[in-house]
Amino acid sequence: MKNLTLLTVLVSIFLLIISCEKDVDPYSKIDTDNPLKSHIDSLVHNTFKDYAIQSATAGFSIAVIDGSQINYYNYGETKKGNKNLPDENTLYELASITKPITAEALIYWLNQNSIDINTAIKAYLPQNLSANLGLNGVDITFKHLLNHTSGMPLFPDDMPPLSDLVTDYDSTKIYNYISSHPLLRTPGTLPTTKEEAAAFYSSFAYGLAGIILERQLKQSLQTIFQNFIFQSLQMTSTTLNNVDNITNKAYPHNNSGLMTYRDLSGFAGGGNLRSNLSDLAKYVQAQINASNTNSLGQAILQSQESTIQINLKDHFALGWEFYYTSANKELIFKNGISPGFTAAIAFDKDTKKAIITLFNNFRSNNPGVRYLTLIEEYFK
């Protein structure tokens, strides 16, 4: 009888434990500084909570902008297992979000020197490259570099994989590649479908744009960005430089785990910037509020002008692109993807709203799906 009573007690305890485990909220273990007090707080949390609890997710940072109001949200860890929650000053790799900044810097320099954006680039590069800086009698112009109609490849086919620790493909190698490889298509050829636009997209062209700036100004691209853009906007942390000695940074991850920062060297203008929410919020507000009253404002406005339409919808500007919500609202947009990071910016100049997201996970972790969900809800 005593054994039966003991067994009954043990069974009851076991069932109680199972019941308690079932009642545990899986979202209660999410590490975040989201206060969950406002509608926006809840919108962000409900959009990303399922992503936050995935085992492969490292961390992410989000800024939601409404005019002068900026809300920052941070989740997860700067590195899997280190228990350090990111904040608005944590550096992430921007990848292709570098491109609008390169475009604005190049436009700034062109305007300063009264050079038309439709000018051929061959006069600003070594003469031995000229034969392959055009095709079928059409020369590559600065505009072709910036709106992905140069006829250049995404990356050269002799470049090491981007997942390598360091990609030391410098300007000399870029020059050598150009001198021995004809263009893929006639410069200025316009894509007619989204698939063609994706095929025309060229980080190579943006790397070359950055090299032209360095060659003409005899300064590093980081110094040029500082002088033309960062100082004016008080973007004190955004950098092309090595970040090994920076403590507050996110570490890149793919679904297999931790990776290492890369260095794009000669392609810096196409995707090597590192930044944080604090700096990017200033940058996006400058995009929203830009005017022709100063040189930087003029360059920003030019970078946002649509240059290519597909199916009667804006597609490529100069550095920036366009995204249409399901309600057909047009947003100015740019995303960036590198082997260990995913980033995106979208803003609406009419409502002065914007969303910035930075993830220290590769796209295979699918952070972009949640970002687009947030866009659809926020920009209704």
Side-chain angles (χ1 to χ4, degrees), residues 121-130 133 175 178 208 211-212 215-216:
I121 65 172
K122 63 183 180 182
Y124 301 89
L125 288 164
Q127 189 173 358
N128 67 308
L129 305 183
S130 294
L133 292 175
Y175 290 162
I178 292 172
L208 189 60
I211 289 169
I212 290 172
R215 178 181 172 85
Q216 295 302 310

Side-chain angles (χ1 to χ4, degrees), residues 25 113 208 287 295 324:
D25 180 2
N113 292 276
L208 189 60
Q287 297 293 320
S295 298
Y324 288 83

Side-chain angles (χ1 to χ4, degrees), residues 1 30 68 85 93 101 108 121 123 146 180 197 269 275 277 315 328 344 355:
M1 189 70 174
I30 293 175
S68 60
L85 183 73
E93 193 167 280
I101 292 176
Y108 190 110
I121 65 172
L146 300 184
S180 59
S275 190
L277 286 183
H315 194 83
N328 211 35
I355 297 176

Side-chain angles (χ1 to χ4, degrees), residues 43-55:
L43 175 60
V44 169
H45 191 71
N46 290 334
T47 302
F48 285 95
K49 64 183 182 180
D50 288 326
Y51 175 76
I53 64 173
Q54 290 181 12
S55 60

Side-chain angles (χ1 to χ4, degrees), residues 63-72 88-89 94 101 104 226 229-238 275-290 296-297 300 304 320 345 347 354-356 358:
V64 179
I65 298 174
D66 187 351
S68 60
Q69 177 67 38
I70 307 171
N71 291 321
Y72 296 115
E88 66 268 25
N89 297 310
L94 300 186
I101 292 176
E104 288 151 10
Q226 288 278 8
I229 300 170
F230 298 161
Q231 287 180 5
S232 176
L233 301 184
Q234 299 180 17
M235 295 170 65
T236 57
S237 299
T238 307
S275 190
N276 56 34
L277 286 183
S278 180
D279 273 12
L280 290 176
K282 297 171 187 174
Y283 178 65
V284 171
Q285 287 182 318
Q287 297 293 320
I288 291 171
N289 298 311
L296 178 55
I300 287 173
Q304 297 173 0
W320 291 104
I345 292 173
F347 60 92
I355 297 176
I356 305 164
L358 304 173

Side-chain angles (χ1 to χ4, degrees), residues 93-111:
E93 193 167 280
L94 300 186
S96 283
I97 293 177
T98 304
K99 288 180 172 70
I101 292 176
T102 298
E104 288 151 10
L106 182 60
I107 294 167
Y108 190 110
W109 172 74
L110 292 172
N111 291 346

Side-chain angles (χ1 to χ4, degrees), residues 135-198:
L135 187 66
N136 297 325
V138 181
D139 292 325
I140 297 173
T141 68
F142 290 108
K143 184 176 181 180
H144 294 150
L145 288 182
L146 300 184
N147 74 353
H148 302 290
T149 60
S150 66
M152 291 181 163
L154 173 61
F155 287 109
D157 54 20
D158 63 348
M159 192 177 81
L162 289 180
S163 56
D164 284 3
L165 300 187
V166 176
T167 303
D168 59 348
Y169 204 101
D170 59 13
S171 59
T172 299
K173 291 181 179 179
I174 287 177
Y175 290 162
N176 288 340
Y177 186 89
I178 292 172
S179 67
S180 59
H181 290 77
L183 297 176
L184 300 178
R185 66 193 69 86
T186 304
T189 301
L190 300 179
T192 58
T193 65
K194 290 183 178 180
E195 291 73 21
E196 276 192 336

